[in-house]
C-alpha cells in the first residue's frame, strides 16, 4: 500500500473494486428481517455461557477462508488495530473522528452495540443502513454456506467480514478496527495495520483470557505484526513486560504514552465546559497542547492520549494531519453509554464499566464531575467477569446498590450478587428481577439532588437507554 499523497485520498497500487461480491443468480434474502434472522441464528460467542477460548472455537483459518470467498476486503484499504481491556471503543471513536476531520474517509468497527446492531459498522460517523446490510448479507450468504460445510462461521466473524466489505463499498481511506475478545484469536486479527494501539489492561473475561495480568497481556499482544509500530499507555509493570517481550519478538517498535512519548493530562473546571480534562502530547512530528477531552474521566484523558499518539504514527506513515482540524474533530466526539446522563428528573446516568478497573474509574469520574447528595447504583453484570473485583470497587462510591440483571444469557442472578456484595462490603443492598423493578425502587428512594447510576454491563445500559428513549 502506497503512502498517503493527499489530504482526502490515497494512491492505491493495483485495481480497487468498488464492490466485493459473491455473484448469485437469486438473492437468498428478500427482506432485511430475513437477513438479520439468519445472522442472529449463527453461533454468538458474546452470548455463550460456557465459552471455550481456543483455536477450535476461535478459528482464524475459518475467518480467512470466509474473507477469501468475498475477495479479501480486509486488504483493500489501510487499517489501524486497537485491543485492550477498557477504553477500546472510546479510543477508536476519538481516533476515527480526528482522522475524519482531517479529510479522510474513515471506517469504524466496534463492539458490542448498545441498542442497534448497525452501531458496530460506520463510515464517517454514519452507521451502515438497513438496505446496505441487506445487500451485504445477500452477497456473503453463499460464502458463509460454503465455509459452513466444514466449520460454521460465527455471528462475530460474519459481522467482521460485513464491516470489511462495507468499507470497500464506501471506498474508505482507512478503517479503525477494534478487537472483540482478546486479540490473538480475535476475528479481526487478519489485518496488517499501519499502527497498533493497546489500551489499559486489567482483569476481565477471566474464564477465556486468564486470571493474571500477564496472561491477558499475552492475548492482547497477539495482534502485534512484524515491524508495525505499537502504542500503549502506562500499564501494570508485569503487563508492560509481556507487551515489550512480544513486540521485540516481532521486531515492532513499542512506545508508551507518558514514558516514551511526552504526554500529560490535567483536570479543570470552566464556565463554558464545566468539569473536564485537558491533555498535552508532544513528539518529534506533532505537538498538541491543552486539548479538551470530550469524554468525562481521567481514564478518557489517557484514552485520548493514546488516540493522539496513534494519529502521530499515521502522520509518520504519510497521513497529512492538521492540528486545528484534529482539535475540531476531537471536540465533536460523543459516545453513548459513557458517563451519559439519559434523564434529568430524576438524574439517571449510564456507563458501560464492566470490570473492576472500569468501575473504579467510573466512581472517581462521577465524584470528580457530578455534584450529588446520594448515589444509588443499579448494577448487573455477566458471570464471566471479575465480579468480586467489581463489587469491591462499587462499595467505595455507591451509597446504595440495587442488583438486577440484563437480558444476556450470561447475566448473573441478582440474588447471587446480593450475597457476594454483603460478604465483601458488609453493606445492605437490594435485588430486583429486572431493570424496570430496579428503577422503581431507585426512584422511590431518591431526591432532586441525588443520582441514579446504571452500570456493570453493556447489555444492562443498552436496556436502560432503550427504555428512556421510548419514554
Amino acid at each position: 500500500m502506497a503512502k498517503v499523497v493527499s489530504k482526502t485520498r490515497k494512491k492505491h497500487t493495483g485495481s480497487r473494486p468498488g464492490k466485493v461480491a459473491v455473484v448469485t443468480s437469486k438473492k437468498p434474502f428478500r427482506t432485511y428481517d430475513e437477513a438479520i434472522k439468519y445472522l442472529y441464528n449463527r453461533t454468538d460467542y458474546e452470548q455463550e455461557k460456557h465459552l471455550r477460548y481456543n483455536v477450535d472455537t476461535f478459528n482464524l483459518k475459518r475467518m480467512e477462508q470466509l474473507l477469501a470467498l468475498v475477495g479479501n476486503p480486509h486488504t483493500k484499504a489501510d487499517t489501524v488495530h486497537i485491543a485492550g481491556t477498557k477504553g477500546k471503543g472510546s479510543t477508536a471513536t476519538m481516533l476515527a473522528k480526528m482522522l475524519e476531520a482531517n479529510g479522510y474517509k474513515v471506517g469504524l468497527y466496534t463492539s458490542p452495540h448498545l441498542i442497534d446492531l448497525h452501531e458496530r459498522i460506520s463510515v464517517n460517523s454514519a452507521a451502515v443502513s438497513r438496505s446496505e446490510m441487506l445487500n451485504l448479507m445477500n452477497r456473503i450468504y453463499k460464502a458463509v454456506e460454503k465455509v459452513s460445510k466444514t466449520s460454521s462461521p460465527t455471528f462475530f466473524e460474519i459481522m467482521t467480514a460485513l464491516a470489511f466489505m462495507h468499507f470497500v463499498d464506501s471506498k474508505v481511506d482507512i478503517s479503525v478496527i477494534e478487537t472483540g475478545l482478546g486479540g490473538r484469536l480475535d476475528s479481526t486479527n487478519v489485518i496488517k495495520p499501519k499502527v497498533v494501539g493497546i489500551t489499559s489492561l486489567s482483569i476481565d473475561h477471566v474464564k477465556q483470557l486468564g486470571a493474571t495480568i500477564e496472561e491477558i497481556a499475552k492475548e492482547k499482544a497477539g495482534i502485534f505484526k512484524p515491524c508495525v509500530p505499537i502504542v500503549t499507555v502506562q500499564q501494570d509493570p508485569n503487563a508492560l513486560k509481556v507487551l515489550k517481550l512480544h513486540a521485540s519478538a516481532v521486531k515492532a517498535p513499542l512506545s508508551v504514552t507518558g514514558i516514551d512519548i511526552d504526554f500529560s493530562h490535567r483536570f479543570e473546571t470552566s464556565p463554558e465546559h464545566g468539569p473536564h480534562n485537558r491533555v498535552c502530547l508532544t513528539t518529534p512530528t506533532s505537538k498538541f497542547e491543552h486539548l479538551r477531552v470530550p469524554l468525562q474521566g481521567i481514564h478518557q484523558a489517557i484514552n485520548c492520549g493514546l488516540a493522539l499518539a496513534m494519529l502521530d504514527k499515521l502522520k509518520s506513515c504519510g497521513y497529512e494531519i492538521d492540528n486545528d482540524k484534529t482539535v475540531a474533530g476531537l471536540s465533536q466526539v460523543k459516545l453513548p453509554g459513557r458517563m451519559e446522563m439519559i434523564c434529568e428528573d430524576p438524574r439517571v446516568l449510564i456507563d458501560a464499566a464492566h470490570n473492576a478497573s472500569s468501575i473504579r474509574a467510573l466512581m472517581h469520574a462521577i465524584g470528580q464531575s457530578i455534584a450529588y447528595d446520594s448515589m444509588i447504583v443499579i448494577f448487573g453484570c455477566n458471570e464471566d467477569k471479575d465480579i468480586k473485583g467489581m463489587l469491591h470497587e462499587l462499595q467505595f462510591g455507591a451509597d446504595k446498590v440495587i442488583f438486577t440483571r440484563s437480558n444476556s444469557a450470561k447475566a448473573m442472578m441478582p440474588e447471587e450478587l446480593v450475597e457476594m456484595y454483603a460478604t465483601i462490603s458488609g453493606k445492605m443492598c437490594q435485588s430486583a428481577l429486572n431493570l424496570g423493578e430496579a428503577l422503581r425502587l431507585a426512584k422511590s428512594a431518591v431526591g432532586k439532588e441525588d443520582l441514579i447510576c446504571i452500570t456493570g454491563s453493556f447489555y444492562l445500559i443498552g436496556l436502560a437507554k432503550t427504555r428512556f428513549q421510548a419514554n
Side-chain angles (χ1 to χ4, degrees), residues 391 401-404 413-425 427-432:
L391 298 183
V401 182
I402 301 171
F403 292 105
T404 188
M413 293 302 294
E415 296 80 6
E416 295 179 70
L417 292 171
V418 166
E419 185 176 338
M420 292 175 69
Y421 188 68
T423 301
I424 290 170
S425 70
K427 294 182 177 181
M428 297 293 292
C429 53
Q430 289 180 274
S431 66

Side-chain angles (χ1 to χ4, degrees), residues 13-31:
T13 56
S15 62
R16 181 175 180 178
K19 291 186 181 296
V20 180
V22 175
V23 179
T24 59
S25 57
K26 183 180 178 182
K27 292 180 179 179
F29 307 113
R30 292 172 300 171
T31 68

Side-chain angles (χ1 to χ4, degrees), residues 264-465:
S264 63
H265 58 85
R266 74 171 193 268
F267 174 79
E268 67 177 46
T269 299
S270 69
E272 182 182 3
H273 301 296
H276 63 279
N277 284 276
R278 290 188 180 271
V279 298
C280 298
L281 185 139
T282 302
T283 74
T285 50
S286 298
K287 188 170 186 178
F288 299 104
E289 293 186 296
H290 312 301
L291 272 64
R292 183 177 66 85
V293 181
L295 304 172
Q296 294 286 352
I298 292 174
H299 58 296
Q300 294 293 8
I302 293 169
N303 294 334
C304 184
L306 179 59
L308 288 167
M310 293 180 72
L311 189 72
D312 176 67
K313 294 298 182 184
L314 289 172
K315 188 175 184 179
S316 299
C317 294
Y319 278 75
E320 295 185 14
I321 304 299
D322 177 85
N323 283 11
D324 290 338
K325 292 178 180 178
T326 297
V327 173
L330 186 63
S331 70
Q332 297 301 309
V333 172
K334 293 181 180 178
L335 199 55
R338 278 73 167 184
M339 289 280 289
E340 181 184 7
M341 197 73 73
I342 58 173
C343 183
E344 290 292 344
D345 186 19
R347 290 188 300 169
V348 179
L349 178 140
I350 59 173
D351 190 273
H354 56 274
N355 62 38
S357 183
S358 295
I359 294 291
R360 185 188 316 123
L362 172 61
M363 296 297 105
H364 183 272
I366 290 174
Q368 188 181 58
S369 306
I370 301 173
Y372 63 88
D373 286 343
S374 179
M375 178 166 67
I376 297 178
V377 174
I378 296 175
F379 182 93
C381 66
N382 285 353
E383 62 181 22
D384 60 344
K385 301 294 183 177
D386 175 20
I387 300 170
K388 290 183 179 179
M390 285 194 284
L391 298 183
H392 175 78
E393 297 298 336
L394 201 59
Q395 67 178 317
F396 300 118
D399 295 294
K400 179 179 180 180
V401 182
I402 301 171
F403 292 105
T404 188
R405 62 170 303 178
S406 69
N407 55 356
S408 170
K410 297 188 289 186
M412 281 286 291
M413 293 302 294
E415 296 80 6
E416 295 179 70
L417 292 171
V418 166
E419 185 176 338
M420 292 175 69
Y421 188 68
T423 301
I424 290 170
S425 70
K427 294 182 177 181
M428 297 293 292
C429 53
Q430 289 180 274
S431 66
L433 291 174
N434 52 52
L435 178 61
E437 182 184 342
L439 280 167
R440 284 191 292 274
L441 289 171
K443 288 178 180 179
S444 68
V446 294
K448 187 175 181 180
E449 302 303 320
D450 296 332
L451 178 69
I452 299 171
C453 172
I454 304 173
T455 190
S457 161
F458 265 97
Y459 299 97
L460 185 63
I461 68 167
L463 286 176
K465 194 166 175 65

Side-chain angles (χ1 to χ4, degrees), residues 91-131:
T91 303
T93 301
M94 284 188 274
L95 178 57
K97 289 297 287 187
M98 290 187 289
L99 282 165
E100 181 184 339
N102 275 281
Y104 295 102
K105 199 167 191 180
V106 186
L108 177 62
Y109 181 56
T110 60
S111 61
H113 59 276
L114 288 182
I115 297 176
D116 188 87
L117 179 70
H118 294 212
E119 297 169 22
R120 298 179 182 225
I121 303 172
S122 64
V123 174
N124 278 12
S125 306
V128 60
S129 69
R130 288 168 66 98
S131 61

Side-chain angles (χ1 to χ4, degrees), residues 139-190:
R139 287 159 49 201
I140 204 173
Y141 171 80
K142 198 171 184 180
V144 172
E145 290 297 305
K146 185 171 183 178
V147 175
S148 295
K149 291 178 180 178
T150 53
S151 180
S152 183
T154 67
F155 167 88
F156 189 75
E157 287 168 347
I158 296 171
M159 280 297 297
T160 303
L162 293 175
F164 290 135
M165 292 168 67
H166 182 60
F167 297 154
V168 171
D169 291 352
S170 303
K171 296 182 173 63
V172 302
D173 298 307
I174 187 168
S175 298
V176 180
I177 308 296
E178 175 194 343
T179 59
L181 177 66
R184 177 175 62 97
L185 300 177
D186 191 74
S187 302
T188 64
N189 199 23
V190 292

